[in-house]
């Protein structure tokens, strides 16, 4: 039976239908995630935390510790580490905040004096007061929105920590759940897809943590040599910021340079900037290719596109979750490709 369209055109049409279906499913998925963001965000963060803390939990289980106690000790350890790091970071920012603002004010005055700008800081301050007085209601609304955001962040963190506990404790039941959802061969395939996706996320978190630790140690050592106050806290800020690709490194490095500027002057600030840039170059050209290429098999261009798309969908949180989500998707696609790939023809003759 003859067809109206040639074979290449029919294949192209079939692929277009597949692409449209995948795009439609992806759009519906993004809409559902956005609609149920309050419930989805703690689950995703808990999965990242479970992937990061899995080795510690397995080590405790190998020491014959009860699974509930092992999960509780793991969550307590991460709570102490994160809480201590946040305390150190906040203390550094609070202690050096007035000096940073003073240095910025002096810098603005120097720039305006050098270029002969007619507007002084006093005029800017007066205009700012007028604007605040005029839009006081808007400012109050912004404060209330900020307090609501802080409350949402705290609630999300608590819920994510509780989910980490349950994910760690009941991780051995994942196989039985996969086989109950899809009995037979489908359960085996679903189990392999979940294992491959989780291994990809675990590799990403392990590689990112190692890179963040190296960055924090090197920058802390450089700041200690330059005698910048709060070097340990700034190193902790670098470690935390490294989990947000690109933006986190920029913000933490800028804060370190500002602290050096506030306390030690322009010369030490330039040296601190050199230390930060040198560490970032080391990360981009040595650490990332050596470490992340072994843990996450993705091209850097794919990583950048994933981060850009994540930022467009969910802001900073999307940047944090974009790469592990794409890595998990690549793991699932790998299983599907291996499952449905046609076997090579048998060329042996009897």
């Amino acid at each position: 039976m003859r067809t109206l369209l040639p074979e290449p055109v029919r294949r192209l049409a079939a692929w277009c239908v597949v692409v449209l279906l995948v795009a439609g499913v992806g759009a519906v998925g993004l809409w559902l995630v956005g609609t149920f963001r309050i419930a989805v965000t703690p689950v995703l963060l808990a999965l990242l935390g479970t992937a990061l803390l899995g080795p510690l939990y397995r080590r405790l289980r190998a020491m014959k510790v009860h699974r509930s106690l092992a999960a509780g000790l793991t969550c307590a350890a991460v709570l102490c580490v994160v809480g201590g790091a946040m305390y150190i970071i906040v203390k550094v920012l609070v202690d050096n905040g007035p000096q940073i603002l003073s240095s910025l004010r002096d810098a603005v005055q120097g720039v305006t004096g050098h270029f002969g700008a007619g507007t002084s800081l006093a005029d800017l301050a007066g205009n700012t007061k007028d604007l605040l007085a005029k839009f006081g209601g808007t400012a109050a609304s912004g404060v209330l929105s900020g307090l609501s955001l802080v409350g949402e962040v705290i609630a999300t963190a608590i819920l994510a920590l509780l989910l980490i506990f349950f994910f760690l404790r009941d991780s051995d039941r994942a196989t039985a759940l996969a086989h109950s959802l899809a009995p037979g061969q489908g359960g085996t395939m679903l189990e392999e897809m979940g294992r491959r996706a989780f291994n990809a996320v675990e590799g990403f978190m392990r590689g990112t943590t190692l890179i963040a630790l190296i960055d924090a140690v090197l920058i802390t050592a450089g700041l200690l040599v330059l005698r910048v106050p709060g070097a340990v806290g700034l190193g902790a800020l670098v470690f935390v910021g490294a989990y947000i690709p690109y933006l986190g490194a920029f913000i933490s490095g800028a804060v370190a340079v500002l602290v050096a500027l506030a306390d030690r002057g322009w010369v030490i600030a330039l040296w601190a900037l050199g230390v930060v840039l040198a560490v970032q170059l080391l990360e981009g050209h040595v650490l990332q290719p050596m470490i992340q290429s072994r843990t996450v098999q993705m091209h850097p261009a794919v990583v950048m596109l994933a981060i850009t798309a994540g930022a467009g969908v969910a802001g900073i949180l999307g940047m944090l979750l974009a790469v592990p989500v794409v890595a998990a998707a690549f793991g699932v696609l790998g299983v599907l490709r291996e499952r449905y790939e046609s076997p090579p023809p048998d060329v042996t003759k009897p």
Side-chain angles (χ1 to χ4, degrees):
M1 180 178 180
R2 298 183 61 183
T3 59
L4 296 177
L5 297 176
E7 181 65 20
V9 176
R10 288 190 286 118
R11 288 185 178 182
L12 178 61
W15 276 109
C16 289
V17 172
V18 171
V19 171
L20 289 176
L21 288 175
V22 172
V25 173
V28 173
L30 291 177
W31 178 78
L32 290 175
V33 169
T35 303
F36 300 100
R37 176 178 58 87
I38 298 179
V40 172
T41 300
V43 174
L44 295 177
L45 293 177
L47 288 174
L48 294 183
T50 304
L52 180 62
L53 300 173
L56 176 59
Y57 172 77
R58 290 192 291 268
R59 184 177 293 272
L60 291 175
R61 290 289 291 151
M63 298 169 60
K64 307 302 181 181
V65 179
H66 190 270
R67 62 179 187 176
S68 296
L69 180 58
L73 291 175
T74 304
C75 293
V78 70
L79 185 62
C80 293
V81 172
V82 174
M86 296 305 296
Y87 172 77
I88 295 174
I89 293 171
V90 172
K91 186 175 185 302
V92 169
L93 295 179
V94 171
D95 292 343
N96 296 276
Q99 293 180 343
I100 294 175
L101 294 177
S102 177
S103 298
L104 291 177
R105 184 174 63 250
D106 295 340
V108 172
Q109 287 179 345
V111 171
T112 55
H114 178 73
F115 289 100
T119 303
S120 63
L121 289 178
D123 297 334
L124 292 176
N127 294 332
T128 302
K129 291 180 180 179
D130 294 337
L131 289 175
L132 289 177
K134 186 176 181 180
F135 300 103
T138 304
S141 177
V143 170
L144 292 177
S145 300
L147 293 176
S148 176
L149 179 61
V150 171
E152 181 179 340
V153 169
I154 294 175
T156 300
I158 294 175
L159 181 56
L161 186 63
L162 293 175
L163 289 175
I164 290 174
F165 171 81
F166 290 114
F167 287 169
L168 289 173
R169 190 192 67 175
D170 300 329
S171 58
D172 54 344
R173 301 180 183 178
T175 301
L177 177 62
H179 286 279
S180 64
L181 293 176
Q185 194 69 20
T188 304
M189 181 178 175
L190 186 61
E191 176 190 352
E192 181 62 24
M193 291 169 59
R195 180 179 291 109
R196 190 78 64 88
F198 188 78
N199 288 339
V201 176
E202 189 176 35
F204 167 78
M205 294 299 295
R206 185 171 61 248
T208 301
T209 302
L210 182 58
I211 292 174
L213 182 60
I214 295 174
D215 288 352
V217 170
L218 293 178
I219 290 181
T220 301
L223 296 179
L224 287 174
V225 172
L226 295 174
R227 292 185 295 174
V228 175
V232 177
L234 295 172
L237 179 62
V238 170
F239 179 80
V240 174
Y243 286 96
I244 303 177
Y246 301 116
L247 182 62
F250 173 78
I251 294 176
S252 59
V255 172
V257 173
L258 286 176
V259 172
L261 175 65
D263 191 81
R264 302 299 308 280
W266 284 99
V267 176
I268 300 300
L270 291 176
W271 277 103
L273 178 61
V275 170
V276 173
L277 291 178
V279 172
Q280 294 304 319
L281 289 175
L282 177 66
E283 174 189 340
H285 292 84
V286 179
L287 298 180
Q288 289 281 359
M290 289 180 58
I291 297 175
Q292 288 288 32
S293 62
R294 298 181 180 179
T295 56
V296 181
Q297 300 295 331
M298 287 194 300
H299 194 274
V302 177
V303 175
M304 295 180 65
L305 290 176
I307 292 171
T308 304
V313 173
I316 295 179
L317 183 62
M319 296 177 67
L320 173 64
L321 298 174
V323 179
V325 169
V326 173
F330 275 21
V332 173
L333 290 177
V335 175
L336 293 176
R337 185 174 62 251
E338 295 172 1
R339 175 66 175 81
Y340 294 105
E341 190 177 45
S342 58
D346 188 11
V347 297
T348 60
K349 296 182 180 180

